[in-house]
Amino acid sequence: MTKTLIFTDLHMTEAGTTIIGLDPKDRMERVFAHAFAHDPDATQAVVLGDLTHHGLPDEYTRLKPLLDTCPMPLKLTIGNHDIREEMYAAFGADTLTDGFAQHAWVEDGTLFLLLDTVDEEDHAPRHGGWLCEARLGWIADQVAVHQPDRIVAMMHHPPFDTGLPGVDRIKLMNGSALLDLLEQAQVPTHLICGHVHRTISGMVRGLPFTVLKSTCHQSPLDLTNPSTALSVDEPGAYGVLLLTDNQVIVHSEDVFAAARPVALDAASE
């Protein structure tokens, strides 16, 4: 079994500012500390975008030393609150592949795809995602070159509806193009997304998916409100991806709720 830690929607702000009264830096530090203490055997970690709240240089500067505390290899992509050029300026050349915050690597026959879904040409509504032809071609090339046994595709914007009206207005707007590619690969594939600030699981076109919570603030379960900015003070969280020879398992761990349970002794059972 191999383990990957997944963080998303860090929303780092400048010092002295908060989101719905919450300090993203404090929340992220708590989530990181919990993850690294409870899952030190993870072989890698990824961040699924919205590294910052406004894409400001000072926000990336404030974020960088926290990311540097990660004790395992860490890969980043960006979200709709990020600015690709500012992220690159802060973190360097390793954050981009062919000009985008996208990465591909293979471990034990599994192709990991970390996608950059940020719209750079105003195809989508503000905060919506879009994959240009260059990025779609890159994805197809990775699948063709590596001929994987299975694919784990990770990204910020979900390429499907979630039932939350506000979020569904700003999903990956050409998600069908990505799903077409993954279907054509005819390889078992699991999709893992951020952006929604809520834990959701399901299936689209026969492909299972998981959406993970933010390290900071979350979205309420409101299936009628069209707002794209609904936020609640619920525990920060992170994901744990487990891969075995024949399974893909994704856990979501809340950090500020009760701690992980301690085994009861026989007298207490």
Side-chain angles (χ1 to χ4, degrees), residues 11-15 17-19 23-24 52-54 58-59 62:
H11 285 271
M12 180 60 71
T13 58
E14 293 182 290
T17 62
T18 61
I19 300 172
D23 180 358
T52 66
H53 199 51
H54 301 101
D58 286 350
E59 293 174 335
R62 194 178 186 214

Side-chain angles (χ1 to χ4, degrees), residues 118-183:
V118 170
D119 180 25
E120 58 175 12
E121 298 177 0
D122 297 327
H123 290 99
R126 185 170 182 266
H127 293 304
W130 188 269
L131 285 172
C132 61
E133 289 302 316
R135 280 173 280 179
L136 289 169
W138 178 84
I139 295 165
D141 289 345
Q142 299 307 310
V143 175
V145 167
H146 294 293
Q147 294 289 303
D149 298 323
R150 63 184 170 189
I151 299 171
V152 174
M154 299 175 284
M155 67 209 76
H156 188 70
H157 296 85
F160 45 78
D161 286 333
T162 65
L164 303 174
V167 174
D168 291 344
R169 286 170 46 206
I170 55 171
K171 63 184 178 181
L172 182 60
M173 304 308 294
N174 65 335
S176 60
L178 173 62
L179 296 176
D180 287 345
L181 275 179
L182 296 175
E183 277 187 317

